[in-house]
Amino acid sequence: MNNVSMKGKSLEEAIRSAAEVFGVGEDKISYRVIHEGKAGVLGVFGGEEAEIEAWIKKSKANYANDVMQEILNKMGLLAIADIARDDEEGIEINIKGEDLGQIIGKDGLTLMAMQTVMSSILRREYGEKANISIDAGGYKEKQKMALERLAQSAADDVISSGQEKVLPPMTAGERRIVHIYLKNNGKLKTESQGEGRDRRLIISLK
Amino acid sequence: MKDLIEYIVKALVDKPEEVNIQETGSESVTVIEVKVADEDAGKVIGREGRIVNALRTIAKAAGAKDRKRITVEIITKEENRNE
């Protein structure tokens, strides 16, 4: 069943009716308010009914994927959004197709913008923080491998020279990848220094 | 372009029925004006402008082939009345 439009004396009542129509609990209902409604005099006279458009909540991953696909379509791109992972750690959507450069952007900037917007959309829809990652053509995976290579060669330098090494400025996500990669190296420690876009990781001996 | 931004903005706000998008501009610049309910302004602007900046980045990506500059501006109803 698709969307239904529901009226009630109050928002709560309209939501309750929608849940009954769909035969699910109220927590499984998503809705948009069409009219807020107004309580009348003595709660009876001159009031306006509340009206909502309601539908059954989709799983977060399915909803995210649908929204992502719609965005790709509206961008006029021949690309397919796919759920690559959906578990307690979060949702990962991978985009496949032509012209992926347009979705990735310079230094992955457009991908990051998609992720920012998507996580906000999910937070509004589900009322809780959503951990979502959006990749296109394995770009992020390749990025991760490149960062790990950089981390390894910096780590080798620190161990052989005994001197600390300052890595180039990185985003929080990039620093996290390097940090996790070096975490299990018993000889080294990593810390972040600097503010904002200038924040860098420093690798040194323990 | 208008369609794309409208779709995203409506998904971001609590009151999609109050979203109004206008596309204006000249031969070299496209301006997407986004009007939302006052209480939804924060949702489309975001902390330190993160969301509106993300919208600008996505608009630029979508319009990359047009070779036009694209900007996205958020106009709240309050500002609108003061104009």
Side-chain angles (χ1 to χ4, degrees), chain A residues 32-33 70 99 102 117 124, chain B residues 12-14 16-17 61 65:
Chain A
R32 295 207 185 281
V33 178
E70 194 62 33
D99 274 342
Q102 211 174 330
V117 162
R124 197 211 69 83
Chain B
L12 280 167
V13 301
D14 287 331
E17 70 280 4
K65 280 172 184 157

Side-chain angles (χ1 to χ4, degrees), chain A residues 32-34 36 63 66-67 70-71 74-75 77 99 102 109-110 113-114 116-117 120-121 124, chain B residues 3-4 7-8 10-17 43 50-51 54-55 57-58 61-62 64-65:
Chain A
R32 295 207 185 281
V33 178
I34 298 169
E36 293 230 16
Y63 178 72
D66 286 357
V67 172
E70 194 62 33
I71 290 175
K74 292 198 187 299
M75 285 177 82
L77 300 171
D99 274 342
Q102 211 174 330
L109 222 63
T110 310
M114 297 276 191
T116 302
V117 162
S120 229
I121 289 175
R124 197 211 69 83
Chain B
D3 249 27
L4 169 70
Y7 175 75
I8 298 175
K10 283 189 169 175
L12 280 167
V13 301
D14 287 331
K15 292 188 168 172
E17 70 280 4
K43 289 203 170 69
R50 282 183 63 197
I51 304 292
L55 286 174
T57 302
I58 293 170
K65 280 172 184 157

Side-chain angles (χ1 to χ4, degrees), chain A residues 15 19 24-30 57 126:
Chain A
I15 295 163
V24 299
E26 285 172 41
D27 59 331
K28 296 281 186 296
I29 294 290
S30 273
K57 234 179 224 181
Y126 294 89

Side-chain angles (χ1 to χ4, degrees), chain A:
Chain A
M1 207 187 295
N2 295 322
N3 300 5
V4 296
S5 153
M6 277 302 195
K7 286 183 180 178
K9 279 184 190 143
S10 63
L11 270 185
E12 291 74 27
E13 204 163 299
I15 295 163
R16 204 173 311 139
S17 307
E20 276 167 23
V21 167
F22 285 118
V24 299
E26 285 172 41
D27 59 331
K28 296 281 186 296
I29 294 290
S30 273
Y31 65 92
R32 295 207 185 281
V33 178
I34 298 169
H35 291 298
E36 293 230 16
K38 262 187 221 151
V41 179
L42 304 173
V44 185
F45 304 107
E48 284 172 24
E49 283 198 309
E51 187 178 4
I52 59 170
E53 185 188 0
W55 60 93
I56 295 180
K57 234 179 224 181
K58 284 181 185 161
S59 87
K60 233 189 237 184
N62 277 325
Y63 178 72
N65 204 57
D66 286 357
V67 172
M68 191 65 243
Q69 186 62 58
E70 194 62 33
I71 290 175
L72 294 171
N73 295 348
K74 292 198 187 299
M75 285 177 82
L77 300 171
L78 286 172
I80 304 280
D82 224 2
I83 302 169
R85 204 185 65 193
D86 176 16
D87 55 29
E88 61 282 353
E89 272 185 48
I91 300 161
E92 214 176 284
I93 289 177
N94 193 24
I95 300 166
K96 295 168 196 158
E98 317 264 317
D99 274 342
L100 292 182
Q102 211 174 330
I103 298 163
I104 295 167
K106 188 171 175 289
D107 296 331
L109 222 63
T110 310
L111 267 186
M112 253 156 66
M114 297 276 191
Q115 203 168 296
T116 302
V117 162
M118 194 62 86
S119 105
S120 229
I121 289 175
L122 291 181
R123 191 166 53 232
R124 197 211 69 83
E125 184 73 18
Y126 294 89
E128 58 184 24
K129 194 171 178 284
N131 202 351
I132 182 160
S133 166
I134 297 169
D135 199 353
Y139 170 83
K140 277 196 182 165
E141 198 52 40
K142 280 176 216 153
Q143 241 358 49
K144 185 177 171 223
M145 282 163 64
L147 280 168
E148 288 177 350
R149 276 200 301 275
L150 173 83
Q152 187 59 56
S153 91
D156 291 345
D157 282 357
V158 172
I159 289 170
S160 65
S161 73
Q163 290 190 337
E164 65 170 37
K165 184 130 189 157
V166 183
L167 298 182
M170 291 177 185
T171 65
E174 291 167 342
R175 290 197 307 273
R176 188 164 171 268
I177 289 168
V178 174
H179 180 74
I180 288 171
Y181 181 73
L182 293 177
K183 204 172 58 178
N184 295 326
N185 188 317
K187 294 176 191 160
L188 300 171
K189 59 176 189 209
T190 55
E191 55 184 330
S192 292
Q193 264 183 24
E195 293 301 321
R197 287 185 185 179
D198 214 35
R199 201 157 162 83
R200 306 151 186 258
L201 267 185
I202 297 169
I203 304 172
S204 59
L205 287 177
K206 261 185 185 164

